[in-house]
């Protein structure tokens, strides 16, 4: 069964960093792009970027460049998304999603809630 | 970036009826448009890719059409599990963008 399992909810203070993990199973991890998408409260989905696990290549949305880092550990089929210098506006649910066709997301993780509050 | 505008925001439909959802792009995205369904408390599920291709395991009552700037998702004979929020997403241009969603509710 193809599955993405994400790490648990996080509460962070402004200025801190958060690292969310996404463990894949049921398919060849290195063969599919993996995207990260954010859903802030009362807002729509916002694409953050992708990582290609086979090579580690990444591409970030312009507004996240400089403060998001996507990485992977192929030995444990896990991708990571780290967001630094957190602000209250970064509160939301962060999803990882496998892309079946580079940019259509056919398998999604359950989401990780990140709350940024002083 | 491409702005996707979905309408209506809320659609009230009776079970067994047809629902027609719209997604309009701020400029042509050719046929590079997907539709997702999100039920409460769940992650989104891919329904349609490239405007009209049903994803694996998606029932035939879901169909998509359109190209350029205007797209439609049609759900024939709504089942109870179809009452959810539906989103469109384009992949013609980076960054990927999503529509704001249409909530299909029970009338």
């Amino acid at each position: 069964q193809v599955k993405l399992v994400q790490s648990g909810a996080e509460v962070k203070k402004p200025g801190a960093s958060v690292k969310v993990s996404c463990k894949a199973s049921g398919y060849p991890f290195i063969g599919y792009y993996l995207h990260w998408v954010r859903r802030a409260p009362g807002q729509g989905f916002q694409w953050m970027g992708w990582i290609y696990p086979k090579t580690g290549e990444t591409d970030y949305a312009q507004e996240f460049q400089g403060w998001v880092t996507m990485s992977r550990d192929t030995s444990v089929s896990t991708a990571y998304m780290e967001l630094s210098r957190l602000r209250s506006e970064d509160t939301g649910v962060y999803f990882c999603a496998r892309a079946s066709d580079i940019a259509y997301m056919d398998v999604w993780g359950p989401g990780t809630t990140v709350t940024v509050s002083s | 970036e491409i702005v996707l505008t979905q309408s209506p925001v809320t659609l009230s439909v009776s079970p067994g009826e047809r629902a027609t959802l719209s997604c309009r792009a701020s400029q042509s995205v050719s046929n590079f448009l997907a539709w997702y369904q999100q039920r409460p408390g769940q992650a989104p599920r891919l329904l349609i890719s490239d405007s009209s291709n049903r994803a694996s395991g998606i029932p035939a009552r879901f169909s998509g059409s359109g190209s350029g700037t205007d797209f439609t998702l049609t759900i024939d004979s709504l089942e109870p599990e179809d009452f959810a929020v539906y989103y469109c997403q384009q992949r013609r241009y980076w960054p990927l963008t999503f529509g704001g969603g249409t909530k299909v509710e029970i009338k």
Side-chain angles (χ1 to χ4, degrees):
Chain A
Q1 180 191 5
V2 176
K3 204 172 178 181
L4 296 173
V5 176
Q6 296 185 227
S7 48
E10 302 263 13
V11 180
K12 296 290 184 180
K13 292 194 183 302
S17 297
V18 68
K19 191 170 186 176
V20 179
S21 68
C22 172
K23 183 173 176 60
S25 61
Y27 74 95
F29 175 66
I30 62 172
Y32 291 78
Y33 286 77
L34 213 131
H35 295 258
W36 290 90
V37 177
R38 175 169 83 179
R39 182 85 184 272
Q43 300 197 20
F45 290 103
Q46 184 177 25
W47 176 75
M48 300 177 69
W50 56 253
I51 183 167
Y52 187 48
K54 185 174 184 177
T55 61
E57 184 182 0
T58 56
D59 184 34
Y60 305 141
Q62 187 171 9
E63 63 186 288
F64 291 97
Q65 288 178 4
W67 55 297
V68 70
T69 303
M70 296 177 189
S71 59
R72 92 292 189 217
D73 183 342
T74 57
S75 68
V76 290
S77 300
T78 300
Y80 304 92
M81 186 283 299
E82 183 170 20
L83 202 56
S84 61
R85 303 191 302 277
L86 289 168
R87 308 158 301 171
S88 58
E89 306 92 273
D90 295 317
T91 293
V93 181
Y94 291 77
F95 294 92
C96 61
R98 185 187 84 163
S100 62
D101 186 12
I102 301 180
Y104 291 139
M105 300 164 215
D106 68 334
V107 180
W108 291 64
T112 296
T113 299
V114 175
T115 303
V116 183
S117 174
S118 55
Chain B
E1 69 179 42
I2 303 296
V3 176
L4 298 178
T5 303
Q6 292 187 240
S7 61
V9 172
T10 304
L11 184 61
S12 298
V13 186
S14 299
E17 291 187 340
R18 169 182 290 184
T20 303
L21 289 67
S22 173
C23 176
R24 177 163 287 177
S26 57
Q27 66 185 79
S28 175
V29 296
S30 186
N31 69 327
F32 296 120
L33 190 108
W35 290 92
Y36 298 86
Q37 175 195 68
Q38 188 178 31
R39 296 174 180 143
Q42 296 186 15
R45 176 173 73 142
L46 179 66
L47 299 174
I48 302 284
S49 62
D50 286 343
S51 178
S52 61
N53 297 329
R54 267 192 308 278
S56 176
I58 301 303
R61 63 180 182 273
F62 291 92
S63 62
S65 64
S67 66
T69 61
D70 291 301
F71 300 86
T72 301
L73 173 70
T74 302
I75 313 169
D76 285 321
S77 190
L78 276 155
E79 299 283 342
E81 62 267 27
D82 299 336
F83 292 94
V85 183
Y86 294 82
Y87 298 92
C88 55
Q89 176 237 320
Q90 65 82 25
R91 75 166 185 91
R92 175 64 179 87
Y93 297 101
W94 301 95
L96 305 180
T97 52
F98 293 81
T102 291
K103 181 180 181 181
V104 177
E105 64 176 25
I106 299 175
K107 188 174 182 180

